[in-house]
Amino acid sequence: MKSIRSGKTGLTDSYCYFHDGELWVKGLYIAEYAFTSYNRQEERRERKLLLNKKELRKLQSAVKMKGTTIIPLELFINERGLVKLVIAEARGKKKYDKRAAIRDREDKRRLDNARRF
């Protein structure tokens, strides 16, 4: 909790998955608190997300679709002092989308280099 308050968290490469009907987040980075005692916990351990049954059913049906996953977008502390994680359903890019994105990025780089000279 204290590491989250101090902003020592990271959502890079984290994702959510279902295991035994429960939603878990994997790869979420929460730094180890500097003044902890012998009871230390892993920084990137799996954490269980608490949702009601209706929300779990809705997300589970969405994940069954091909190419859909659940990713965390934002981690914050609400006004009551509870840690909240904003999650979203996401679909990966198709191969042709990736090629178009790479082409656009290279074109932009070429334009920026041309403007410099």
Side-chain angles (χ1 to χ4, degrees):
M1 187 72 180
K2 293 180 182 181
S3 293
I4 295 171
R5 278 196 183 113
S6 62
K8 297 179 181 177
T9 61
L11 299 173
T12 308
D13 296 333
S14 59
Y15 62 96
C16 301
Y17 67 96
F18 281 94
H19 181 7
D20 293 334
E22 299 172 335
L23 190 63
W24 293 78
V25 63
K26 187 172 188 167
L28 177 69
Y29 174 78
I30 298 177
E32 182 180 297
Y33 183 58
F35 303 106
T36 188
S37 63
Y38 62 90
N39 250 353
R40 298 179 182 228
Q41 296 186 3
E42 295 177 34
E43 296 171 335
R44 290 199 181 267
R45 69 184 173 94
E46 297 175 6
R47 292 171 168 86
K48 183 178 172 181
L49 300 178
L50 302 176
L51 287 89
N52 61 39
K53 286 183 183 181
K54 184 178 177 182
E55 293 170 331
L56 286 172
R57 277 195 301 262
K58 181 181 173 187
L59 288 172
Q60 204 162 16
S61 66
V63 170
K64 286 181 182 177
M65 290 176 25
K66 185 179 177 187
T68 306
T69 188
I70 302 172
I71 57 168
L73 298 177
E74 183 182 359
L75 184 71
F76 65 95
I77 300 174
N78 70 358
E79 61 278 351
R80 293 178 50 202
L82 301 174
V83 177
K84 299 289 185 171
L85 183 68
V86 177
I87 57 175
E89 303 167 21
R91 186 170 300 145
K93 285 186 176 181
K94 300 286 184 190
K95 194 169 189 174
Y96 56 85
D97 289 336
K98 291 180 187 178
R99 287 191 299 240
I102 291 169
R103 187 179 332 108
D104 292 341
R105 188 171 55 231
E106 287 177 357
D107 290 344
K108 184 180 177 192
R109 188 179 312 136
R110 286 187 194 122
L111 253 168
D112 290 342
N113 286 338
R115 288 181 188 163
R116 288 185 200 160
F117 297 111

